[in-house]
Amino acid sequence: MKKSSLLVLFVAGLVLISGCIGGVKEKAVEEAKEKAESMIESYSQSLTQTYTEETPTETEETTETTTETGYANWANPWDLTMPVEIDGKSYYITYIKYRFKVRSEEGGKIYEYIVEKRRGKTKIHVYGMQIDFQTGEKKKVDLGEFEVYEYYGKVTPVNGKEMDKPLEIVSWSPSENNINSQFFAYPVVMGLEAGGPEIVGIKMTYGDKSYEAYNPLAVGKMEYTPYVEGELNWYGDMPDIQNMYMGFFTMASFGFWGALTEENLYEKSSGTWGYLGWQYNYEINPDGKVTLGGKSFRVSDVKWSYVFGDVQGQGRAVLAPNIPIPIEAEGVFVDQGANYYTYIKIEDLGFEKA
């Protein structure tokens, strides 16, 4: 692993972690970002000068990404916007089912959930609100059936903090949406307002609570205003929602995942490195195969630990080089009083040819 690249990745990840679990004020986070950007710029220059001779040729790059027996890195950590290569063919991951656990404070209780996510084309009726010019009366109008791209999620609590029944969240876009695809693996999402041309509508249900919103603008119906039914406050107020989002975000945003883009997961290796008050250790062990969604994948066990001032953490993961999310992962992240434990284990995947 190139030490300067690892430093850049670690600093970038640290900024994200500090912003979400460290209780750092906005000014401090901005200062950390400025420092990280400065370090990234300077190290990018040094990388160009120092490692030019290591840049692979086009032939070498092809070998690295397609030869299963020789070299394989984790090319696109947590990125579900792109297709994956399996046996020489391209697929989109269109279904995920995983077990998810989170603890949000030291010594606190661990909560557990089953998460299912699905995406793909479907057809729905879109609604709008029409206002009578003369009377001012508002009327719900069925604008017809439209083909949309659906992002569906279901969270079933096994042992929830307050959740005791399934939560379902559906978001519709005119076509595949890059932002929704980036958050496809998340158990829940934040910021669910339906507005702008990218969102046709959303629907959420939890027991007797529900929220539904449609955006006529997204299907070209400019003469109608958005139609909304129900309240959304209950969603943001649920501690389970906040814990799940923050736990997953903390895991997924850690800079170490990017460092694996330089490591051969098919080869046993380990390393340690320290720089100006921080230390990082990692270990990679190839460990057979797993089968998910009817397809077989070679996997490796990866372990890591780190210390950066008050920031400490350690974790492990089971990774398949051509799958952008861990088959299994758990980690603990501690910073300035915050203490998050996150666990994820994939139970099933679904694929669709790209």
Side-chain angles (χ1 to χ4, degrees), residues 59-283:
T59 301
E60 290 171 335
E61 287 178 347
T62 301
T63 301
E64 290 178 356
T65 56
T66 62
T67 303
E68 185 174 321
T69 57
Y71 180 97
N73 57 358
W74 208 31
N76 300 293
W78 303 92
D79 186 353
L80 290 163
T81 64
M82 302 169 60
V84 299
E85 295 292 324
I86 304 174
D87 298 328
K89 298 178 181 179
S90 294
Y91 298 87
Y92 282 104
I93 297 175
T94 55
Y95 174 78
I96 307 172
K97 180 180 180 181
Y98 62 88
R99 189 168 296 270
F100 183 75
K101 300 178 183 179
V102 63
R103 174 182 51 71
S104 60
E105 58 185 3
E106 182 177 356
K109 191 172 182 178
I110 294 176
Y111 300 103
E112 183 177 359
Y113 311 84
I114 300 296
V115 179
E116 292 183 79
K117 305 300 291 288
R118 182 179 67 240
R119 60 180 173 177
K121 293 181 180 179
T122 189
K123 291 184 177 181
I124 65 167
H125 276 262
V126 177
Y127 301 92
M129 188 72 74
Q130 187 176 49
I131 305 175
D132 186 282
F133 287 173
Q134 301 298 320
T135 66
E137 180 184 2
K138 297 179 181 179
K139 180 183 179 181
K140 176 184 177 182
V141 180
D142 186 340
L143 306 181
E145 188 177 62
F146 296 85
E147 183 176 274
V148 294
Y149 200 89
E150 178 179 273
Y151 294 86
Y152 169 85
K154 181 179 181 180
V155 179
T156 303
V158 176
N159 173 35
K161 185 172 184 177
E162 289 188 3
M163 283 183 63
D164 58 3
K165 55 184 71 70
L167 166 70
E168 293 183 277
I169 305 172
V170 190
S171 175
W172 298 289
S173 298
S175 58
E176 187 174 3
N177 182 293
N178 188 62
I179 294 178
N180 280 343
S181 292
Q182 288 176 355
F183 284 90
F184 177 55
Y186 276 64
V188 291
V189 295
M190 307 299 284
L192 288 167
E193 294 80 6
E198 296 298 319
I199 301 296
V200 175
I202 59 176
K203 185 176 182 179
M204 308 164 59
T205 56
Y206 174 72
D208 60 356
K209 297 181 175 67
S210 65
Y211 177 80
E212 196 169 350
Y214 296 91
N215 179 24
L217 169 66
V219 292
K221 300 293 184 177
M222 310 289 289
E223 65 273 31
Y224 298 92
T225 59
Y227 172 75
V228 178
E229 184 176 317
E231 297 291 336
L232 190 56
N233 293 340
W234 59 268
Y235 181 80
D237 291 339
M238 291 177 65
D240 296 78
I241 301 296
Q242 300 170 25
N243 288 343
M244 282 189 283
Y245 179 84
M246 291 300 294
F248 197 97
F249 177 84
T250 302
M251 170 75 81
S253 63
F254 179 47
F256 168 67
W257 304 117
L260 290 178
T261 61
E262 297 179 352
E263 291 297 323
N264 183 2
L265 295 185
Y266 289 161
E267 181 178 286
K268 181 180 176 64
S269 63
S270 63
T272 183
W273 191 57
Y275 180 83
L276 295 181
W278 73 274
Q279 184 170 352
Y280 188 82
N281 309 290
Y282 73 95
E283 180 181 330

Side-chain angles (χ1 to χ4, degrees), residues 291-306:
T291 299
L292 290 166
K295 301 183 185 300
S296 181
F297 305 95
R298 289 180 64 181
V299 296
S300 294
D301 291 329
V302 179
K303 298 178 182 179
W304 75 89
S305 63
Y306 69 91

